Amino acid sequence: MRLDYLTIFPDYLAPLRLSLPGKAVDSGLLEIHVHDLRSWAHDKHRTVDDTPYGGGAGMVMKPEPWGEAFDALAVEPGDTIIFTTPSGERFDQRLAEDLATRGRLVFACGRYEGIDQRVIDHARSIAEVREISLGDYVLNGGEVAALAVTEAVVRLLPGFMGNAESLVEESHAASTGGLLEYPVYTKPPVWQGHEVPAVLRSGDHGAVARWRHDQARRRTAQRRPDLLAPSSIDDGSTIERAVPGDAAELMTLQRACWVQEALANPGAPIPAFHESVDDVRAWLGEWDTYVVRRAGRLVGAVRGRLEGPDGTAWDIGRIMVAPDLQGEGLGRALLEHIQAVAPAAATSYVLFTGAGSERNHKMYKKAGFRLRNDLPAPPGAVIFVKRRSRG
Ligand code: JD8
């Protein structure tokens, strides 16, 4: 991959030669060229900025030096010009993975109040253009963002990372379902009175993997619920927080879903049958409720809230999947999701279902829930409980 940088502060990009890319250059994996934009400003002061048309504070970068620079760098249609700008598309791992497929990236690092818009418009006529923002905060120029994008892209290049498989387990990597990383530990086993979690020294790889996954989901739920919100269902359906406007569809769906429960549990009272839209709207205000939509149709839902004597039991309920879509894993995904979004205070999960609802029993046991016949349950129902694994 070839990387070119256009900037009025070439020294700002000196780090490129230091860390990661340095080795890649030596191994021929990478070509790095940093160019001073003033090389294409020909007046005595090598001016690259001027006052903004329409007035206002600050200065704008003149178009001519950029145009000449693109010509001098022989930028061509197969190349990608990256303008780092606060008004760009948000940079993330998915975009990094996309840019890592390119042969040449040309970074246009602006300063002042920005670059004359005609430079971007012109660039679109000679190459692929991506306007990229590092994040929702204001920097003084585009160089820092160019450095960050470079590191995130170059480390994905085949043959670059010493141990490629470590890429697999990273935050935001598609392979981890976009979850944040789990906590990591190394020797000594006890430090400053802090012990390494016993499961990590157990040698039980299955238990370690389950612990790490749960830690990653818990961290993500607490720190970045937005990463969880989209969906952990890989068929394009989205899991979203329910809104009052979902009440009517929810009322309809639950009536459809509990018909099977009624058939599987003759004589058992089914509260879901007797709730009006207003009743549903009312309990939406008392429960954290999530709905699954597929092509706009509400096809599944689940709710959760803290209960129990000390408010540490995450009571899960109304797991529902449209009868015509059952058996595709939507129920399992909803059960996983509602556990993941449980607040930190939750130390256990509890739910009940019809005593005769064998298929539900199977799903809950597979998800690590235990049938607790010793606990009081609503008429015709049984209780399932699962301890929440702690670090
Ligand atoms: C390029 C000039 C400064 C920005 C007036 C402050 C990226 N995530 C990001 N935040 N800021 C930038 C960025 C800022 C830049 C330039 C990128 C060129 N500035 C300007 C507009 C307000 N000053 C960025 N990527």
Side-chain angles (χ1 to χ4, degrees), residues 8 50 64 93 107 113 142 151 194 221 238 283 346-347 351 371:
I8 61 171
D50 205 334
E64 301 93 331
Q93 192 62 19
F107 288 89
E113 298 312 302
E151 178 154 325
H194 298 285
T238 60
W283 64 246
T347 59
L351 56 86
L371 176 58

Side-chain angles (χ1 to χ4, degrees), residues 84-86 110-114 132-135 137-142 145:
T84 49
T85 164
R111 280 275 156 176
Y112 304 98
E113 298 312 302
I132 296 176
S133 168
L134 205 52
Y137 39 81
V138 179
L139 304 169
N140 282 339

Side-chain angles (χ1 to χ4, degrees), residues 1 29-30 99-102 153-161:
M1 176 183 274
L29 253 174
L30 208 54
L99 293 173
T101 65
R102 303 296 193 278
V153 169
V154 167
R155 63 194 300 283
L156 298 173
L157 296 179
F160 186 72
M161 285 292 280

Side-chain angles (χ1 to χ4, degrees), residues 118-142:
R118 292 167 291 179
V119 173
I120 294 97
D121 303 340
H122 165 63
R124 289 188 193 289
S125 69
I126 59 174
E128 177 196 13
V129 165
R130 305 298 289 262
E131 294 182 81
I132 296 176
S133 168
L134 205 52
D136 300 342
Y137 39 81
V138 179
L139 304 169
N140 282 339

Side-chain angles (χ1 to χ4, degrees), residues 320-340:
M320 52 183 107
V321 174
D324 60 306
L325 298 174
Q326 288 173 4
E328 296 181 11
L330 264 177
R332 191 178 62 251
L334 283 162
L335 183 58
E336 244 202 38
H337 184 79
I338 198 66
Q339 290 175 75

Side-chain angles (χ1 to χ4, degrees), residues 28-323:
L29 253 174
L30 208 54
E31 236 186 288
I32 293 180
H33 304 271
V34 176
H35 315 275
D36 184 340
L37 184 72
R38 292 188 191 281
S39 316
W40 293 280
H42 310 302
D43 64 302
K44 186 156 136 306
H45 302 294
R46 306 211 300 161
T47 305
V48 295
D49 64 311
D50 205 334
T51 55
Y53 273 119
M59 301 293 274
V60 172
M61 301 192 88
K62 295 165 59 64
E64 301 93 331
W66 292 100
E68 290 186 34
F70 292 151
D71 296 345
L73 271 59
V75 175
E76 50 193 34
D79 301 336
T80 299
I81 301 175
I82 296 178
F83 292 89
T84 49
T85 164
S87 56
E89 60 181 303
R90 185 66 176 276
F91 184 60
D92 62 12
Q93 192 62 19
R94 187 187 45 72
L95 182 46
E97 287 158 1
D98 176 24
L99 293 173
T101 65
R102 303 296 193 278
R104 183 187 188 189
L105 302 179
V106 179
F107 288 89
C109 304
R111 280 275 156 176
Y112 304 98
E113 298 312 302
I115 302 172
D116 185 301
Q117 180 59 36
R118 292 167 291 179
V119 173
I120 294 97
D121 303 340
H122 165 63
R124 289 188 193 289
S125 69
I126 59 174
E128 177 196 13
V129 165
R130 305 298 289 262
E131 294 182 81
I132 296 176
S133 168
L134 205 52
D136 300 342
Y137 39 81
V138 179
L139 304 169
N140 282 339
E143 288 79 7
V144 168
L147 286 171
V149 171
T150 298
E151 178 154 325
V153 169
V154 167
R155 63 194 300 283
L156 298 173
L157 296 179
F160 186 72
M161 285 292 280
N163 48 0
E165 96 270 348
S166 75
L167 286 176
V168 174
E169 290 213 338
E170 287 168 347
S171 283
H172 310 301
S175 52
T176 62
L179 294 180
L180 299 184
E181 261 149 41
Y182 46 76
V184 291
Y185 301 81
T186 186
K187 290 186 271 312
V190 182
W191 179 76
Q192 301 270 1
H194 298 285
E195 272 203 47
V196 171
V199 63
L200 297 181
R201 298 160 55 215
S202 68
D204 176 341
H205 301 306
V208 169
R210 280 193 300 281
W211 179 87
R212 284 175 167 172
H213 182 70
D214 183 67
Q215 289 293 314
R217 286 187 80 61
R218 221 150 54 73
R219 250 183 188 186
T220 309
Q222 278 152 11
R223 300 176 186 179
R224 294 291 309 279
D226 59 299
L227 292 176
L228 272 179
S231 144
S232 53
I233 300 174
D234 47 24
D235 66 353
S237 309
T238 60
I239 299 184
E240 295 151 3
R241 198 65 190 264
V243 294
D246 295 325
E249 287 173 281
L250 270 172
M251 184 274 274
T252 305
L253 180 64
Q254 72 178 16
R255 292 199 178 182
C257 294
W258 264 264
V259 167
Q260 288 154 286
E261 295 306 299
L263 297 173
N265 303 275
I270 307 281
F273 277 168
H274 308 285
E275 290 175 354
S276 66
V277 174
D278 290 344
D279 294 331
V280 172
R281 197 174 290 112
W283 64 246
L284 278 174
E286 298 151 9
W287 293 76
D288 293 359
T289 306
Y290 293 82
V291 294
V292 177
R293 284 190 179 279
R294 184 182 290 179
R297 176 193 168 196
L298 195 150
V299 296
V302 63
R303 68 185 188 182
R305 71 178 176 187
L306 281 176
E307 284 188 1
D310 55 2
T312 63
W314 184 241
D315 181 357
I316 295 170
R318 299 293 166 89
I319 294 185
M320 52 183 107
V321 174

